[in-house]
Amino acid sequence: MEDRVRVVIAEDSVLLREGLTRLLTDRGHEVVAGVGDAEALIKTITDLAAEGSLPDVVVADVRMPPTHTDEGVRAAVQLRKLHPGLGVLVLSQYVEERYATELLAGSSRGVGYLLKDRVAEVREFVDAVVRVAEGGTALDPEVVAQLLGRSRKQDVLAGLTPREREVLGLMAEGRTNSAIARQLVVSDGAVEKHVSNIFLKLGLSQSDGDHRRVLAVLTYLNS
């Protein structure tokens, strides 16, 4: 049995909300409230805080009514600012890097981001709730993999000189080497040298052929 924690669940699916409640209460934890939208979540936490009974952790869906876009995670970010000691564990159907990054932008203490599939692994899910409640971190392996992948891409672009970044930006606009040369008021040969350096630094070999230009631009746009 883990240390008993107090939880508020924010999930618009009544079935899932009840399921999460059952998983946690069966392990001896207390679900003090269950709500179906972000507005109700913020009001509930505000009321509990006013009573001096702030929960240990909030488990919230990333997407909730009314638009089912980012209400849940935005509420989570807001609550962390208002109550730094409150643990926040968000659940998502898919890995959404922007939301994960936003949630982790401040302190990573007492933060979790799991895919909903992970709930089926009961012990792992409940352990994650307890860990976040106690100030730890719980990140889904898929989230970690994607964020690390993004970091690697940014590191690669960080190796480009300011001029090479400028050339790559113009390539992303669809300009030819000659057009880039005219824009930068340099020779065609200078642009060709920059482009070659870009390919080299991005790890694009000659075997990639004409696709190298496209791949370089994709790396730039995805960074």
Side-chain angles (χ1 to χ4, degrees):
M1 179 72 67
E2 303 94 344
D3 292 337
R4 187 169 183 265
V5 298
R6 300 174 67 251
V7 188
V8 168
I9 298 174
E11 167 59 57
D12 62 295
S13 167
V14 176
L15 184 61
L16 181 54
R17 188 165 72 240
E18 292 300 321
L20 294 174
T21 299
R22 180 66 180 272
L23 289 178
L24 291 167
T25 55
D26 281 354
R27 298 296 292 268
H29 304 296
E30 180 186 359
V31 176
V32 297
V35 299
D37 60 66
E39 184 177 346
L41 171 60
I42 292 174
K43 183 179 185 305
T44 296
I45 297 300
T46 300
D47 291 345
L48 288 171
E51 297 169 2
S53 58
L54 193 70
D56 299 303
V57 60
V58 167
V59 177
D61 192 353
V62 166
R63 299 172 182 268
M64 288 198 291
T67 68
H68 292 279
T69 53
D70 60 357
E71 284 88 350
V73 74
R74 293 210 172 278
V77 171
Q78 181 179 340
L79 288 173
R80 278 184 60 77
K81 290 179 180 178
L82 294 173
H83 309 285
L86 177 67
V88 173
L89 173 62
V90 299
L91 303 177
S92 179
Q93 194 69 41
Y94 311 101
V95 178
E96 300 178 84
E97 291 183 22
R98 179 166 63 91
Y99 299 151
T101 302
E102 184 172 7
L103 189 65
L104 295 166
S107 170
S108 60
R109 178 176 173 79
V111 174
Y113 188 114
L114 296 181
L115 295 183
K116 287 187 175 181
D117 288 347
R118 203 67 58 187
V119 175
E121 301 172 24
V122 177
R123 183 173 183 81
E124 186 172 341
F125 168 70
V126 177
D127 286 349
V129 173
V130 174
R131 189 159 64 252
V132 171
E134 295 178 344
T137 302
L139 294 181
D140 195 283
E142 289 297 321
V143 175
V144 174
Q146 290 204 28
L147 292 179
L148 285 177
R150 183 173 182 176
S151 296
R152 283 194 292 270
K153 285 184 291 188
Q154 292 176 330
D155 288 342
V156 169
L157 288 187
L160 300 182
T161 65
R163 176 64 89 182
E164 288 164 355
R165 281 176 172 268
E166 193 172 10
V167 169
L168 184 53
L170 293 171
M171 287 169 61
E173 294 176 11
R175 304 192 189 214
T176 64
N177 285 0
S178 296
I180 293 173
R182 289 194 297 272
Q183 174 72 19
L184 300 180
V185 194
V186 296
S187 68
D188 286 0
V191 172
E192 289 175 5
K193 183 177 180 180
H194 287 313
V195 171
S196 295
N197 287 338
I198 290 169
F199 290 156
L200 180 63
K201 291 180 180 180
L202 296 185
L204 302 174
S205 65
Q206 290 186 352
S207 61
D208 292 314
D210 294 336
H211 295 298
R212 286 194 298 173
R213 199 175 187 91
V214 175
L215 292 172
V217 169
L218 286 175
T219 301
Y220 174 81
L221 294 177
N222 288 330
S223 66

